[in-house]
Amino acid sequence: MKQPEDALTAGNAIGTQNRTIAPEGNYSRKAYARRGEKKMANKNYLNMSNEIIAAVGGVSNVANVSHCMTRLRFQLVDSSKLNQEKAKGITHVMNLVVQNGEYQFVIGQDVPNLYNEIIKNEGIKANTNTVEIKQVKDNGQKSKVVEAIFSFIGGTFSPVIPVLIAGGLTGAVLTLLTTFFGVSSDSGTYQVFYAINQAAFFFLPVFVGFSAATRLNCNGYLGAFLAAILLFSGINGVEGLDFFGLKIQTISYNANIFPIILGVLFMAVVYKYLQKVMFVYMKTICVPLLTMLITVPVTLLVLGPIGNTAGTWLSNALLALYYTVPALSVAIVGAGTCWLVFFGMNNATYVPLFLLLAEIGSDPLICTGMAPANVAVGGACLAVAFVAKKGDEKSVAAGAGVTALCGITEPGVYGVLFVKKYPLIGAMIGGGIGGFLAGLLGMTQYVVSTPGFISFAAYITPADQGGGWYNLIVSMIVMVIAVTISFLVTLILGKYAMKKERV
């Protein structure tokens, strides 16, 4: 599930630590033109790397760097050293989002190439630096707790997305193999693919544990170790355990990610404290040993049950909402996805997504609502390409439109929707109506993948859930309707906007 990111807000001043950095004046049009002129040129990743490092204050100011599917994400030692004007003016950087101390350069799907160039710089170690980060607060405003939570969750899941997509779509491949190619579920071929699919989600707490610990500037391997302990056959789902006479609640840790997130949060506090107070010559042995000896019992006795209860409540609440007003709830997701991208909160939706998958075996709400929303962005962008007069605008909009139809919406959201505004309205209307129909017709998504036409196999009902083609047919119809409505509304609004400009 690739979910959106980023935004351009007209009229806003340069963003604070918790806001999107938005272009001012005529910058967006100039950037638009510049990106269009150089669209066909090969990107020089070395030059981009040098410019970005200079803009963030040099190698020594990089505390941590990572990337998701479209963004290069920095945590800085001192955020006051960031040159915002230089950063937002770098060629091929679509936008810069600042969210709770993380600086996200929106690059596109080729971001791994730039990331590989960035980490070649001596002194930059991806996801391993543990220096203290100075949280510089612009205008004296404190970071909001809710935004900090979403930023942490989103930053934790971003590096895990490739595993989720590979594992999830392998499940769709299995459905195709058994449906069209006669592969038996008893064959070795089936078992190999099944292992790929199941391992991605059974061991998901390990990936999340590593990523969360890294995000907290802690030792990522200890985070993975904590998850491995929870998944160990002698603990995961085992009844009748106790620790020095204290009863340990029976929990299936492979089906809930809240326990590992809470456990890693606690572990990071313990780890950092021990790093500060432990004698230097004892740190290597004592810090990891004491960290785990303290963290594991607390997680099993306290944090695990809390996380399990929280996950149960959240999944029950989501299901209750969906079952009560299915069409309305999915419509809200469909209309609001662009804004999740806008605020960089899209990756935080993985938490409820996994809860739904574990509870009912599919996702009728999150990915289902995002599918029409994503392709609606494509329809809006293609409409802009149709009405635009300038060649560079047509090129940018057309490219973003095709990409969005495949489920990757960042180029469309940042380069088109929030630049011109009227396509945003078209995309929201198309996504909202598409979501309403999806909820009304009972559409769902069976595996984790990028919601859009390219992930059609994710909508085929697996044999163990009844099989059949109804869900796939409904999904394609819903997305086609979303694209059509979005295109037509944006076309009408676009022609009206151009008439007003001529007047």
Side-chain angles (χ1 to χ4, degrees), residues 19-40:
R19 292 203 308 266
T20 301
I21 292 181
E24 295 180 338
N26 294 323
Y27 169 74
S28 60
R29 293 183 180 275
K30 293 178 181 178
Y32 217 62
R34 184 172 67 245
R35 286 197 296 268
E37 293 166 0
K38 300 190 177 183
K39 183 175 178 64
M40 301 306 295

Side-chain angles (χ1 to χ4, degrees), residues 162-173 196-197 200-201 446-449 458:
V163 174
L164 301 176
I165 291 177
L169 286 180
T170 301
V173 170
I196 297 173
N197 170 245
F201 297 97
Y446 291 99
V447 298
V448 177
S449 67

Side-chain angles (χ1 to χ4, degrees), residues 376-394:
V377 172
C381 291
L382 292 177
V384 172
F386 186 82
V387 300
K389 299 299 182 183
K390 296 181 180 178
D392 56 335
E393 290 187 0
K394 284 182 176 290

Side-chain angles (χ1 to χ4, degrees), residues 48-59 81-83 86 90:
M48 289 179 68
S49 169
N50 292 336
E51 289 185 60
I52 289 174
I53 290 174
V56 299
V59 170
K81 294 182 180 180
L82 172 72
N83 187 324
K86 182 184 290 186
I90 297 173

Side-chain angles (χ1 to χ4, degrees), residues 56-78:
V56 299
V59 170
S60 62
N61 197 40
V62 177
N64 186 21
V65 61
S66 61
H67 74 87
C68 56
M69 292 186 70
T70 57
R71 299 183 183 193
L72 191 65
R73 297 167 174 260
F74 284 90
Q75 287 179 298
L76 305 180
V77 177
D78 186 348

Side-chain angles (χ1 to χ4, degrees), residues 317-401:
L318 288 172
L319 288 172
L321 174 65
Y322 174 75
Y323 290 140
T324 303
V325 284
L328 179 59
S329 59
V330 184
I332 291 173
V333 175
T337 291
C338 291
W339 291 94
L340 289 178
V341 177
F342 184 99
F343 291 109
M345 294 165 55
N346 47 293
N347 289 329
T349 58
Y350 276 108
V351 174
L353 166 60
F354 292 132
L355 293 173
L356 291 172
L357 287 173
E359 184 71 22
I360 61 176
S362 69
D363 169 25
L365 180 60
I366 308 300
C367 282
T368 296
M370 287 183 169
N374 286 354
V375 298
V377 172
C381 291
L382 292 177
V384 172
F386 186 82
V387 300
K389 299 299 182 183
K390 296 181 180 178
D392 56 335
E393 290 187 0
K394 284 182 176 290
S395 177
V396 171

